Amino acid sequence: MFLDKPLEFIKTHPRLVVAQDFELACQRVSVTRSEHLKGKTQLHESEELWWLQLRVLHRNKPGVSTTTVLNEGSLNRLVDNALICAEQSHPDPWFRFPVWSQTRKSSSVDSQSAPPENFLSALYQEALCGTKPLVEKYEWWNVETQIYRRSERESKSHFHVVGKQNWSLGGFQETLWNNQKDPDRLKRFIHLGDLLEASQPTQRAIPARMVFSPRALSPLLEAIAEFFVANRVDGTRSPLTRDQINQSWASKIITLTDDGLDNNTPHFALFDLDGIATQKTLLIDRGQIKSFLYDSHSSVRDNCRSTGNSLRDPKELEPRARPRKTVLHPGSSEPADFWSSSEEGLWIEGWSKIETKESLEVTGGVFGWLVKAGKKTEPIKIESFKVSLPKLLGSIVGLGTQTDSFGLCECPTAFLRRENETQNFCSY
């Protein structure tokens, strides 16, 4: 593998003889990307991103050093800086090198995998979208990860390939992680772009009944999943507290999972960057909070096992505990079961813009349909729409039977009902 050479250099480095233990985590991310405007190629490029982090335990004190440059000089500085960091730090009662015994066997793939034929080419002609200014962006990722720890006397390795697809029409966008391209899905995206263009602004009062499509619900669920990161629970960036385990926080029909076993994600591997086995983690079971998301450091602090969520974005220097893929389990509801014959409501198809606020609110523009007597009638859009994330899951009274994936989320259609003013989960 490409990472064998730097690993061998660190394993035999003379300065590390004095360390009680050390661990080297390496990642090499090769990305090939293309961008097309109205079917014409605007960009085609490749880049290679390296990341190496050395953690040492020296005189019972931890030291950490990171580099994104691969040469002999940078590796020597990596060792020197880790030891200096340990000498200048204090003993950390929460620092542990986690046991690797539960991790599954490493993968054996060790050669770069090319993208499927035509993955990086445009779908513009097949989508039959006329002269619309469609922007298509495609990326093919090769992610190689390897970790070596002296006390474990072994290294763990994994090689993963995944494709990223992004389409945009003005401010309307869709992102999908999948290795296969689907022209029919792009056609549906373009059709919704037409709906957004035809939608008229509305100033109607907030209806008691509302529907979020999987496309509209996905970014909200991704933001809610961040509430379950243990380090956020400890701070002020989450509405959750540790004493809420086994307590109700959402509607009883809500079951939410962090799925680390789905390989159509950029973070998929057999282990995380602590060497802990990848798993599915049940966050909410029938409305009750069941777990948070941990890396090795936060799990020791909470006296529990890591959930294997120490991950790193290729553009970031340090790994952190983060969700892998958020999955809202489907239900058994159908639109006909939800809409009454007299009430009006909203069916939200998507966001034209979106932003998450520090106040745990999501704001932006949405578009969809006005619903009367259970039927979609006129296309509407709301330029300033707000959703309270802590209140959202408690307002869901039904979930559709089919799920769809957008970004790093998979979910069904959600049916929401406001019983009184205190349940105001949204406003505009």
Side-chain angles (χ1 to χ4, degrees):
M1 297 180 74
F2 288 99
L3 300 179
D4 286 340
K5 196 168 184 178
L7 279 174
E8 191 61 32
F9 183 91
I10 296 296
K11 285 164 62 175
T12 58
H13 200 285
R15 289 210 62 194
L16 289 174
V17 173
V18 299
Q20 292 164 258
D21 200 1
F22 69 84
E23 174 186 277
L24 180 68
C26 310
Q27 272 193 336
R28 172 181 172 270
V29 182
S30 300
V31 182
T32 302
R33 61 174 60 90
S34 64
E35 181 175 331
H36 315 274
L37 173 61
K38 298 173 68 173
K40 296 182 179 180
T41 302
Q42 305 292 306
L43 173 72
H44 187 87
E45 64 178 9
S46 298
E47 68 174 332
E48 188 171 84
L49 305 173
W50 288 86
W51 176 81
L52 300 93
Q53 184 172 81
L54 178 64
R55 298 196 296 176
V56 302
L57 185 62
H58 180 49
R59 297 175 182 172
N60 293 320
K61 297 188 292 185
V64 181
S65 179
T66 305
T67 184
T68 56
V69 179
L70 184 62
N71 57 47
E72 186 171 328
S74 68
L75 293 179
N76 280 320
R77 288 191 295 273
L78 186 74
V79 174
D80 292 342
N81 291 340
L83 291 172
I84 291 172
C85 179
E87 290 169 357
Q88 295 179 349
S89 67
H90 298 281
D92 183 351
W94 309 120
F95 178 80
R96 303 282 193 282
F97 280 125
V99 177
W100 285 358
S101 58
Q102 295 181 357
T103 307
R104 292 170 289 162
K105 292 182 179 180
S106 301
S107 64
S108 57
V109 180
D110 51 21
S111 61
Q112 187 171 18
S113 176
E117 184 180 4
N118 297 325
F119 181 84
L120 297 173
S121 61
L123 283 177
Y124 188 77
Q125 298 300 326
E126 294 182 55
L128 303 175
C129 55
T131 60
K132 293 185 181 300
L134 173 69
V135 177
E136 301 173 66
K137 297 180 182 179
Y138 302 107
E139 296 183 2
W140 185 257
W141 290 32
N142 290 266
V143 184
E144 181 185 358
T145 305
Q146 196 161 356
I147 305 178
Y148 171 80
R149 187 184 302 152
R150 185 169 67 186
S151 59
E152 295 283 352
R153 299 181 181 179
E154 67 170 330
S155 63
K156 294 188 176 297
S157 59
H158 185 83
F159 186 84
H160 177 51
V161 295
V162 65
K164 181 181 182 181
Q165 306 173 46
N166 178 272
W167 306 314
S168 59
L169 280 170
F172 181 46
Q173 297 192 39
E174 178 174 324
T175 297
L176 171 68
W177 291 91
N178 198 295
N179 296 352
Q180 302 296 325
K181 293 164 71 173
D182 183 357
D184 289 334
R185 179 160 181 154
L186 179 55
K187 291 176 184 178
R188 292 194 295 272
F189 170 79
I190 293 169
H191 177 72
L192 284 174
D194 293 338
L195 174 65
L196 173 59
E197 190 175 333
S199 299
Q200 298 298 315
T202 182
Q203 298 295 328
R204 295 173 181 270
I206 301 172
R209 295 173 184 265
M210 195 172 297
V211 174
F212 282 81
S213 72
R215 180 192 304 276
L217 186 61
S218 290
L220 306 181
L221 291 177
E222 286 190 32
I224 288 173
E226 291 284 348
F227 294 167
F228 290 82
V229 175
N231 291 331
R232 289 179 175 263
V233 176
D234 288 338
T236 59
R237 295 174 295 169
S238 171
L240 306 179
T241 60
R242 299 195 180 281
D243 58 8
Q244 286 181 277
I245 292 292
N246 293 323
Q247 299 297 314
S248 294
W249 186 69
S251 167
K252 291 183 179 180
I253 65 172
I254 299 296
T255 295
L256 195 69
T257 301
D258 179 62
D259 187 1
L261 304 182
D262 188 328
N263 60 5
N264 280 321
T265 67
H267 300 304
F268 176 75
L270 300 180
F271 49 85
D272 71 351
L273 291 176
D274 291 324
I276 300 299
T278 298
Q279 65 177 50
K280 287 185 179 181
T281 302
L282 184 62
L283 304 177
I284 300 176
D285 183 24
R286 289 170 290 183
Q288 292 187 351
I289 295 175
K290 291 299 179 182
S291 178
F292 300 117
L293 298 175
Y294 293 95
D295 56 14
S296 64
H297 193 269
S298 58
S299 65
V300 171
R301 189 177 62 240
D302 264 17
N303 193 29
C304 64
R305 289 183 175 180
S306 170
T307 55
N309 284 82
S310 179
L311 310 170
R312 186 187 69 90
D313 185 282
K315 299 296 185 181
E316 296 178 1
L317 192 61
E318 299 296 330
R320 69 172 179 88
R322 66 173 76 218
R324 290 179 180 267
K325 181 172 183 178
T326 306
V327 178
L328 177 62
H329 295 214
S332 58
S333 295
E334 299 290 347
D337 302 327
F338 176 69
W339 297 109
S340 69
S341 59
S342 58
E343 285 184 302
E344 290 188 356
L346 292 178
W347 190 301
I348 298 176
E349 295 285 4
W351 297 79
S352 58
K353 56 184 178 180
I354 188 168
E355 181 183 2
T356 302
K357 300 288 188 179
E358 291 295 329
S359 60
L360 308 181
E361 262 188 353
V362 167
T363 64
V366 296
F367 67 96
W369 300 91
L370 178 67
V371 178
K372 294 181 179 179
K375 295 182 179 180
K376 299 176 182 178
T377 55
E378 57 188 273
I380 60 171
K381 60 184 174 183
I382 303 168
E383 300 292 351
S384 182
F385 190 78
K386 299 178 183 179
V387 177
S388 169
L389 294 175
K391 294 180 180 179
L392 179 69
L393 297 185
S395 303
I396 295 177
V397 296
L399 293 170
T401 59
Q402 302 295 321
T403 62
D404 202 353
S405 292
F406 295 89
L408 295 175
C409 183
E410 179 182 340
C411 63
T413 299
F415 302 90
L416 295 86
R417 183 171 64 230
R418 174 170 51 88
E419 299 292 351
N420 51 59
E421 290 301 320
T422 63
Q423 287 185 314
N424 249 353
F425 54 88
C426 66
S427 61
Y428 52 87

